[in-house]
Amino acid sequence: MEENHERMQDQPNKGQDDNKDKPSGLMEKIQQLGQTNVPQLSQDSNIHCLTIVGQIEGHMQLPPQNKTTKYEHVIPQLVAIEQNPKIEGLVVILNTVGGDVEAGLAISEMISSLSKPTVSVVLGGGHSIGVPIAVSCDFSYIASTATMTIHPVRLTGLVIGVPQTFEYLDKMQDRVVSFVTKHSNISEEDFKDLMFAKGNLTRDIGTNVVGDDAVEYGLIDGIGGIGTAIKKINELIEMKKQSDQQEGLVQ
């Protein structure tokens, strides 16, 4: 009996020790974010913010030290955004170096096919396959200091050296060119000129387009940041509501 009693007394103390080892909510915020007070999105917000940062990860898993956006995380989010009646608009924030072509095109196609208004903002950089994602929205913005690198499609790793491989690359490149020219105001000729330009990138072909130039080429719709993007998405949401009301009256 005495042994049992001693064990019962030990157990509560053990639980208290475990709680001491767990960091408090305040400490966890400091460790993860470096600050104590983190702004939260309003629970009744009708705008969803989707961030695409680092390298876009496709079928192959990238090393753990790489900052990545995983397409298996983004695609279900886009399906949920389309289905959720509380979400009326989507803002896409881009700061990406590019990555997997097929994964990037899949994300671009999904965003462009959403029935809800969409606005993109390129901050820092929206390079490579980030370009189709940026132009896939209804309206696109770029920061004046942000850049977009336009270059031909490449393969890394083991490549089978047969003509069919290069034909596949050409077809994949045509898909990217077709999508970008369809969803922006840049012509196919101008986009290919930027893609195959020589001397703009060190020991490579392609062009690094800065914010103002991206707008001048017609690749991006305007110069702006978060504030302008939120203002624009609210305008598009209001326009869609008015359009839906008019259709309802006509029916």
Side-chain angles (χ1 to χ4, degrees):
M1 290 291 291
E2 291 179 359
E3 289 179 1
N4 292 337
H5 182 65
E6 287 174 0
R7 286 176 188 169
M8 290 174 68
Q9 286 183 336
D10 288 343
Q11 287 175 356
N13 293 333
K14 186 178 179 182
Q16 288 175 5
D17 292 339
D18 290 342
N19 290 332
K20 286 179 183 177
D21 293 338
K22 291 180 181 177
S24 65
L26 182 63
M27 286 299 294
E28 198 172 348
K29 284 181 181 178
I30 294 172
Q31 287 174 1
Q32 292 185 0
L33 303 168
Q35 54 189 18
T36 58
N37 188 16
V38 182
Q40 298 293 326
L41 282 172
S42 173
Q43 294 296 322
D44 55 354
S45 175
N46 63 336
I47 299 169
H48 184 83
C49 179
L50 178 68
T51 55
I52 296 176
V53 296
Q55 196 164 348
I56 297 165
E57 187 180 276
H59 305 306
M60 298 296 292
Q61 189 170 359
L62 293 169
Q65 67 268 20
N66 287 32
K67 296 275 188 183
T68 61
T69 295
K70 300 178 187 293
Y71 78 130
E72 70 268 26
H73 293 173
V74 175
I75 289 173
Q77 281 190 65
L78 292 171
V79 175
I81 290 164
E82 178 65 25
Q83 290 182 317
N84 191 342
K86 292 182 180 178
I87 296 174
E88 296 178 330
L90 172 66
V91 174
V92 182
I93 310 294
L94 287 126
N95 189 2
T96 177
V97 294
D100 189 280
V101 174
E102 289 190 349
L105 273 179
I107 293 168
S108 303
E109 289 285 5
M110 287 195 72
I111 293 173
S112 67
S113 63
L114 288 173
S115 64
K116 300 177 181 184
T118 54
V119 172
S120 65
V121 187
V122 179
L123 303 171
H127 307 293
S128 192
I129 202 63
V131 175
I133 298 174
V135 303
S136 65
C137 294
D138 298 327
F139 203 90
S140 56
Y141 286 106
I142 186 170
S144 58
T145 54
T147 61
M148 303 179 84
T149 303
I150 301 163
H151 63 79
V153 174
R154 305 154 177 163
L155 284 178
T156 57
L158 181 65
V159 178
I160 301 171
V162 293
Q164 287 84 349
T165 301
F166 299 102
E167 287 175 15
Y168 172 72
L169 270 177
D170 275 340
K171 287 178 181 178
M172 185 182 288
Q173 198 161 274
D174 288 342
R175 286 156 59 196
V176 175
V177 173
S178 174
F179 184 91
V180 172
T181 53
K182 183 180 177 182
H183 292 88
S184 67
N185 296 318
I186 193 169
S187 67
E188 184 176 338
E189 185 180 354
D190 287 344
F191 189 70
K192 284 186 174 180
D193 286 344
L194 293 172
M195 183 178 277
F196 298 113
K198 296 178 181 178
N200 289 318
L201 296 176
T202 308
R203 290 182 295 178
D204 202 350
I205 54 176
T207 308
N208 196 12
V209 183
V210 187
D212 293 316
D213 294 331
V215 176
E216 190 176 336
Y217 281 118
L219 192 61
I220 299 294
D221 294 318
I223 297 290
I226 300 298
T228 48
I230 296 296
K231 184 179 178 182
K232 185 67 178 180
I233 195 71
N234 282 320
E235 288 176 7
L236 294 176
I237 289 169
E238 194 60 35
M239 286 170 62
K240 187 176 186 303
K241 285 180 179 177
Q242 291 176 2
S243 175
D244 291 344
Q245 285 177 358
Q246 288 177 358
E247 285 181 7
L249 290 172
V250 171
Q251 290 175 358

